[in-house]
Amino acid sequence: MEGEQARSALKTVYDEILLAFEEASDKAEDLASLEPSSQLREAIIWLENATASLISWGIDIRADAGSLAAIEGTPLETEVRCALCELRIHLDEVFDERSSRSVSHSSDSPGFALSSDPKQGESAADEDPMAIMSGLISVLQDFVRPIRMRHASITGEGPYRNLKHQIDIIYNQHIESRDRTLSKNDEVSSTIERMHAGQVQAYPSSQSGESTIKRPLGSLILMLIGRPRRTETSPPRPNPSSTVPFRRDRHFVDRDILRQIRQKCLEPASRVVLVGLGGVGKSQLAIEYSYQVREQDPSTWVFWVYASNEARFEEGYRTIADRVKLPYQDEPGADVMRLVSDWLCDEANGRWIIILDNFDDPAVLTRPYEVRLRTDAGNSTLEAISLSSFLPKSQNGSILATSRNRNAAFQLVGSDRNIITIEPMDRFHAVRLLRNKIDGQIDEGDAIRLVQALDCMPLAISQAAAYINQRAPRMTIARYLDSFRKNDQDQASLLNQDAGDIRRDRSADNSIISSWHTSFRHILQHRPSAAQLLSLMSLFDRQGIPEWLLHRCFENDPSEVGSTVDLDTNLADDINIVFKEDISTLTNFCLIRKTNLEGGLFDMHRLVQLSTRRWLELFGDLERWTTRYIRMMSEVFPSGEYETWTLCRALLPHAEVMVRYQPADRQDLLCWTAVLNRAGWYAAATGNYSTAEAMHREALEGSEKAFGKGHPDTLTSVSNLALGLHYQGKYAAAEELNRRALEGREEALGKEHPDTLISVSNLAGVFDYQGKHEAAEELNRRALEGREKALGKEHPDTLTSVNNLALGLHYQGKYGAAKELYRRALEGRGKALGKEHPATLTSVSNLAVMLSDQGKYKAAEELYRQALEGREEALGKEHPATLTSVSNLAVMLSDQGKYEAAEKTNRQALEGKEKTLGKEHPDTLLSVYNLAYCQHQQKQYKEAKALYQRAYAGLQTALGANHPHTMLCSENYSSVLEESETAHLNATEQTRANTSADDKDEGSVASSRITTTDQNIKAGRITKYERALTAITRPHLPSRLTVKKKKTKQ
């Protein structure tokens, strides 16, 4: 009977423990949904009204005190209480690896304590309610499973079926001989010693006192309850498999990255991270690697865990638990995370690989996942448990992660050597991927152009292929590309199409735009100032973004860095720190890349910029940032004069993109047109004529909109556009615009105004190139006289007019007057601008031409080479002015009859001009003409005829049939046809003569005829051609066609 009562008492205590834990679990779930302040109030109210059952591990069994009443005062009561205490100690040791914890009970009811300090229960009641709540939750998570196991044992189920029988035996032995001491093994002795030392103290109501605690019954119960023996057959161990939730991609294209992954993952306990932009193919590489691992070693487990947040991480671990058939995983309160971690650490389970996909936020692994109460030597502390503690460093396993955040990757692996940076594909692999994805045949040229437009991003290529396949045959690569190139809106629309990729996580975006927006949201949430920096950078050209300019922007407007800066401290230091951290954030997310460590330049993928602008547009913030960008550029872009070319060269690409940002506000429009005018001026001066024309056209449109057609600033834009057209050989259009600018300035500013004189000089230059030399001379004299009066004789603009007048006289063959003016211009420019200035070098070149025309070849060659070397240094080898020097040197060699050397030099000039100016530019056609002449003189008639034909057709289109250059080309083309025919006839006659031994005199006549023909060419047309050639190959720089850029008033 007493045995039955003991078992009933034990079962009652277990039931109370279980109910208390379940109550704590329910309450914890309720509290989790409340605000923090409400949680605290609810916790206090609940704890006040609840029993003291779990305060400091106490157990209240007052409701079932009657169950113990039958054995109250008997030795068995003490033994039962000791057994419960020993059980608590054992659970602490086995399941939580903690030292003994205090168990308190109210003094007015039966109970027991596990503490050497009888006041432990009182102090526990005074603890912070939230700390107690954390402890309760921890208790629930740590002990509910073993408690349920033991509860099942008491009811006769599970591995403890012999408990009833053992308690009966112990009790009967106890009745038969109370004072007899049973034989004890070492474990029992150790337990009794701990009990005797006071670590287990019976409740004071025990009648047996301390002596009864020494009795072995409690220790024996502990052994029987706390050391389970498995009597059931263990389930068979499952075969290794994979939890990768994606099918293998039959279109996958390797880039030699899988080899790197294999090498690094072969190391014991390896951790490797693939880092790169969203959509660059990290997950696809991980998927393919997982399949290759299973192919090579089917005994290896492969587990896929989505690591974007704690919930998905835990979901991945539960999937692992299911796959490996972990026992007890379904028990209420089972710690699945710890069970899986322990399984992974057990080398008996074989080799495994975990793939952590989308590990972008390092806080997922580092922030507290749960809080547990830890008791050590009577002191209670809260212990934070993070998910990183469940990632084992086991010799039988490895971890491969994918991440957009290099900082997160580094925190996971702790070394850069285990980080593999994934860049967009190269063109070869990108085209191969597109070919694999597209149904049917594709045009190789269209494919190359498309992947280049998509920055070779795998996800963008997959999107494009899916879009084309879904709309085939109506949609082709060429048509997709045409739509893509229209504007930002069309590009964003196409790139926002969901590719429907079944090999991406259900929560991941299947469009490149949406994928990057995920990164933007994360940065905006955690680092707002970095998001602002990215917004600004998206408006630059994608390459060569200067760090100093970004830093200047934030220095000038500290509000741009948001609340990150503490305005109460040193502002400059704070801004510098914030800026560096922002740059680091964007670099870690692979959104920008530093390309020049010393110069401080950054690159961005073009599609990243597009996506960022789309993001700004969606939130109505694009206009604010474009305004900020325009104002910034207007502050830093220099005048475009030679002295500022270094800075202009760095900023020109970023000014070019401003063309698409035309603002509506008038003040911003002033800034915008000012930048375009300066940048266009520089582009024209450095030979980038098409760019200059495009920028000047946009500036003119903006000026007309802001000021009207007759405003002086608008007329400056008209004059600048005329300059760009002139440089491209579009003389008729240039003449029209120069006339408009001249007439408008005469009316608005007066005939003697310096800007008016610029238009006079520019119109004269057009006339010279059109062959209207007399009209040009008249205008050049007017400009010179006006500038001498308004600016002085030594002013650079005045010296430009001196040079231009000399050039016009040279065209007309007035060498004496031209030579005098050339020397004046050269001396004045050397003094005012310096010997290495491009304008000075132009005067050197012009004087060299004059000397060459006069047959002074040695002096001319010296000046030619001086001009060529100076221009190569100042302008570069491919600048049109440099190529003109090359061409002029070839003309001089021809003058001296050095045709082979002249041919080689002419080919060099022609190749450069075709690349820089285009095949149809008048200067290019003149180089064709020069080369034809060299072939002509070497009697290579077939090639000469083809070159003459090309030059004549092009000049007729560009300059007109009546232009002197066109007419001269036609004349020489006729000559080569005549000579070719004559040579053919003479060759035929010579052949006949050689076949007849009696016709020697006829052969002499024929030879004489050929010689006479050649002499006629040298004495007549060729001399005229050379004189015209040296005149028309003068360099046309701003020094000859001067356009003064008017400063826009701010």
Side-chain angles (χ1 to χ4, degrees), residues 95 141-142 145-146 149 317-318 320-322 324-346 349 372 389-390 392:
F95 293 96
Q141 293 171 329
D142 280 354
R145 181 173 64 84
M149 291 166 53
Y317 264 46
R318 290 191 179 277
I320 296 175
D322 289 339
V324 302
K325 308 297 184 185
L326 278 180
Y328 312 124
Q329 60 169 306
D330 295 327
E331 292 287 342
D335 190 351
V336 174
M337 305 297 292
R338 180 59 61 191
L339 290 173
V340 172
S341 179
D342 291 344
W343 186 92
L344 295 171
C345 290
D346 188 351
N349 292 317
R372 299 175 181 175
S389 63
F390 302 121

Side-chain angles (χ1 to χ4, degrees), residues 25 51 59 67 108 121 174 183 379 483 557 698 811 951:
S25 175
T51 65
I59 302 176
S67 300
D108 59 346
H174 175 71
S183 60
N379 297 319
S483 300
D557 190 356
E698 292 295 329
Y811 281 151

Side-chain angles (χ1 to χ4, degrees), residues 779-793:
L779 290 175
N780 277 323
R781 289 190 183 279
R782 173 187 167 185
L784 176 57
E785 293 172 1
R787 283 173 165 171
E788 285 180 336
K789 180 179 179 181
L791 304 174
K793 290 187 176 183

Side-chain angles (χ1 to χ4, degrees), residues 152 229 231 326 347 455 476 505 548 592 616 886 924 971 1029:
R229 301 181 182 86
T231 58
L326 278 180
E347 296 186 10
D455 282 351
T476 63
D505 187 82
W548 66 265
I592 65 173
L616 295 174
V886 174
T924 304
E971 184 178 350
L1029 178 67

Side-chain angles (χ1 to χ4, degrees), residues 898-904 931-941:
K898 301 176 182 178
Y899 297 122
E900 291 185 3
E903 177 185 348
K904 180 180 179 181
L931 182 58
Y933 174 70
C934 287
Q935 302 295 87
H936 187 168
Q937 297 310 302
Q938 297 175 80
K939 295 183 174 55
Q940 297 175 8
Y941 296 122

Side-chain angles (χ1 to χ4, degrees), residues 569-579:
T569 62
N570 189 311
L571 182 59
D573 290 344
D574 275 352
I575 289 177
N576 188 51
I577 292 172
V578 170
F579 179 78

Side-chain angles (χ1 to χ4, degrees), residues 99-391:
S99 61
S100 302
R101 293 171 176 162
S102 62
V103 178
S104 64
H105 195 278
S106 57
S107 59
D108 59 346
S109 63
F112 55 87
L114 253 176
S115 174
S116 60
D117 183 4
K119 297 182 179 180
Q120 182 80 23
E122 296 177 8
S123 63
D126 295 332
E127 290 181 357
D128 177 65
M130 291 307 293
I132 295 174
M133 178 59 69
S134 299
L136 297 180
I137 296 172
S138 178
V139 170
L140 169 68
Q141 293 171 329
D142 280 354
F143 303 119
V144 72
R145 181 173 64 84
I147 287 171
R148 282 190 177 274
M149 291 166 53
R150 286 157 179 75
H151 180 244
S153 302
I154 293 171
T155 58
E157 302 171 358
Y160 299 97
R161 295 173 181 173
N162 63 344
L163 177 61
K164 177 177 182 294
H165 177 64
Q166 293 298 333
I167 290 178
D168 287 338
I169 293 175
I170 293 170
Y171 179 72
N172 291 332
Q173 290 174 344
H174 175 71
I175 292 298
E176 292 174 0
S177 178
R178 288 189 182 183
D179 300 326
R180 186 180 55 160
T181 302
L182 298 178
S183 60
K184 302 179 288 297
N185 57 27
D186 292 340
E187 183 177 7
V188 173
S189 299
S190 175
T191 302
I192 293 177
E193 289 301 323
R194 291 195 350 263
M195 294 167 60
H196 184 67
Q199 295 182 16
V200 179
Q201 180 179 355
Y203 195 75
S205 62
S206 172
Q207 296 178 357
S208 301
E210 183 176 343
S211 62
T212 60
I213 300 178
K214 298 180 182 179
R215 300 181 67 82
L217 182 57
S219 299
L220 294 176
I221 293 177
L222 169 63
M223 285 195 303
L224 295 173
I225 296 179
R227 303 292 186 268
R229 301 181 182 86
R230 181 173 296 277
T231 58
E232 299 172 352
T233 303
S234 300
R237 177 176 294 180
N239 293 325
S241 60
S242 169
T243 66
V244 175
F246 310 110
R247 291 191 306 177
R248 196 170 191 173
D249 185 3
R250 60 187 178 89
H251 300 137
F252 178 81
V253 175
D254 188 18
R255 298 176 258 170
D256 197 38
I257 298 175
L258 290 175
R259 178 184 58 82
Q260 301 178 51
I261 298 174
R262 280 193 296 269
Q263 289 177 347
K264 293 183 179 296
C265 287
L266 284 176
E267 300 177 8
S270 61
R271 293 188 177 192
V272 181
V273 186
L274 309 180
V275 175
L277 274 170
V280 82
K282 305 181 297 297
S283 296
Q284 304 308 309
L285 285 163
I287 293 170
E288 177 61 25
Y289 175 69
S290 72
Y291 278 95
Q292 291 189 10
V293 166
R294 292 284 300 152
E295 283 180 347
Q296 296 167 6
D297 185 6
S299 65
T300 299
W301 292 91
V302 178
F303 304 123
W304 189 277
V305 177
Y306 197 73
S308 63
N309 54 58
E310 292 89 337
R312 295 299 304 278
F313 190 98
E314 184 175 357
E315 179 185 337
Y317 264 46
R318 290 191 179 277
T319 302
I320 296 175
D322 289 339
R323 185 58 60 91
V324 302
K325 308 297 184 185
L326 278 180
Y328 312 124
Q329 60 169 306
D330 295 327
E331 292 287 342
D335 190 351
V336 174
M337 305 297 292
R338 180 59 61 191
L339 290 173
V340 172
S341 179
D342 291 344
W343 186 92
L344 295 171
C345 290
D346 188 351
E347 296 186 10
N349 292 317
R351 180 162 177 77
W352 52 263
I353 292 174
I354 290 180
I355 297 175
L356 297 180
D357 192 31
N358 276 39
F359 174 57
D360 302 331
D361 184 1
V364 170
L365 292 184
T366 58
R367 61 176 163 245
Y369 171 68
E370 59 186 32
V371 179
R372 299 175 181 175
L373 188 66
R374 181 184 182 91
T375 303
D376 188 10
N379 297 319
S380 298
T381 58
L382 294 179
E383 179 184 23
I385 306 298
S386 64
L387 289 179
S388 62
S389 63
F390 302 121
L391 283 178

